[in-house]
Amino acid sequence: MQYDEYAAIYDRSGQLRFSVLMNLYLRDLLGVHRVKGDTLLDLACGTGTLALLMAERGWRVIGIDRSAGMLAEAQRKRAAAGEPIDVHFMQADMRSFELPEPVVLATCCYDTLNYLLDEQELARCFSAVGHALLPSGLFCFDLATDYFLRYYWQGVEFEEFDDFTQVIQSHYDHATGYSTLVLTGFVAAGGGRYRRFREMHVERAYSDDVIRKLLLRAGFEVEGLYDCFTMEAPNERSLRLMYVARRRSSG
Ligand SMILES: C[S@@+](CC[C@H](N)C(=O)[O-])C[C@H]1O[C@@H](n2cnc3c(N)ncnc32)[C@H](O)[C@@H]1O
């Protein structure tokens, strides 16, 4: 499964930084878009960094992810904290899941919804989140823009760390609008040997019209739309957008 092998090096390769920044940004967003209560679903929680940081701030968190490898890392980090932390991790698909209890806040961060490659899949995810939220609950998610996928997810990147090396090759298909990233990792396996793994990640962007249409159908109203990590409106060169959608209090 995608991310299972990447999981062990995901945080150390620098990806953890995103959740640290998102934790701070969510504090700003929630200062403006308020919710009553303290229950959070972090959808596609990955290695659990955001879930754990939010729990430190008093949220009672459920983290859902499809990858057993990512969840194992998340569990390991929770155990390493040494003290009881109110985070429960669950393996599930973000297009079809049910929570034991509805929550007041749902987050889905770091391009994850860009992995859903057609409108039906996105609609299924929005519907599942709608059911997981209490009336008036808030759904905050970021999306990479077409501009980002077209101009930034491009070319070849090579990074060398103490015990692993990664090569990232990205390509934007102008015909389909799909962006494909091939990650090849070489992880030290002792005795000067390296274990090689390869994962393919495909993302696509969605227009604002489509996102609003699907949110509306799933019972949400868009309450805020930002150039991600700022409180400013998006512009034509925004790399990432942050949607703040409120579940309607009825229906
Ligand atoms: C870019 S990572 C983001 C992880 C985490 N949110 C973060 O900010 O570091 C994408 C995550 O989405 C998960 N994912 C992808 N497709 C999924 C699906 N259909 N259902 C649940 N999780 C999924 C992957 O396993 C991975 O952990």
Side-chain angles (χ1 to χ4, degrees), residues 29-248:
L29 286 174
L30 294 172
V32 176
H33 304 278
R34 298 194 172 267
V35 287
K36 282 200 186 114
D38 61 359
T39 48
L40 164 67
L41 162 67
D42 186 32
L43 199 54
C45 62
T47 57
T49 306
L50 182 64
L52 294 164
L53 289 171
M54 293 293 279
E56 265 178 29
R57 292 209 269 128
W59 290 87
R60 295 185 290 133
V61 188
I62 296 183
I64 283 187
D65 203 280
R66 181 173 68 172
S67 157
M70 295 295 260
L71 288 171
E73 277 299 306
Q75 310 268 23
R76 187 188 58 72
K77 282 155 67 175
R78 187 186 56 187
E83 56 195 53
I85 301 182
D86 203 346
V87 182
H88 178 67
F89 292 112
M90 250 171 66
Q91 189 170 19
D93 193 299
M94 61 183 169
R95 292 164 293 190
S96 60
F97 64 90
E98 281 179 27
L99 298 187
E101 300 279 336
V103 293
V104 296
L105 176 63
T107 51
C108 187
C109 302
Y110 211 174
D111 300 11
T112 303
L113 291 177
N114 294 94
Y115 278 79
L116 299 180
L117 296 179
D118 65 48
E119 285 188 30
Q120 286 81 0
E121 293 193 6
L122 199 52
R124 285 175 62 202
C125 176
F126 285 171
S127 165
V129 175
H131 285 104
L133 277 174
L134 285 162
S136 303
L138 210 59
F139 181 26
C140 300
F141 59 91
D142 70 77
L143 277 173
T145 60
D146 187 68
Y147 183 80
F148 173 79
L149 296 177
R150 196 180 283 255
Y151 298 114
Y152 282 71
W153 250 36
Q154 271 299 342
V156 180
E157 285 172 47
F158 174 88
E159 284 185 278
E160 193 172 16
F161 299 85
D162 282 350
D163 58 350
F164 68 93
T165 297
Q166 64 183 27
V167 181
I168 295 174
Q169 298 166 275
S170 314
H171 170 73
Y172 181 86
D173 183 330
H174 290 263
T176 60
Y178 286 10
S179 208
T180 302
L181 180 155
V182 178
L183 165 73
T184 310
F186 300 87
V187 183
R193 299 170 71 90
Y194 282 81
R195 184 178 53 78
R196 175 181 180 275
F197 72 88
R198 177 168 275 191
E199 291 186 356
M200 195 166 85
H201 298 250
V202 183
E203 295 195 7
R204 63 159 289 187
Y206 285 94
S207 71
D208 183 49
D209 287 350
V210 168
I211 296 297
R212 284 174 191 270
K213 175 185 78 180
L214 298 180
L215 283 170
L216 193 68
R217 282 189 196 152
F220 287 98
E221 273 158 20
V222 175
E223 196 173 278
L225 174 58
Y226 301 98
D227 187 19
C228 193
F229 297 119
T230 79
M231 299 306 285
E232 308 292 322
N235 61 69
E236 61 190 18
R237 295 202 186 149
S238 291
L239 303 179
R240 181 179 303 281
L241 308 180
M242 170 56 77
Y243 281 85
V244 180
R246 175 96 50 194
R247 209 201 112 176
R248 282 195 294 271

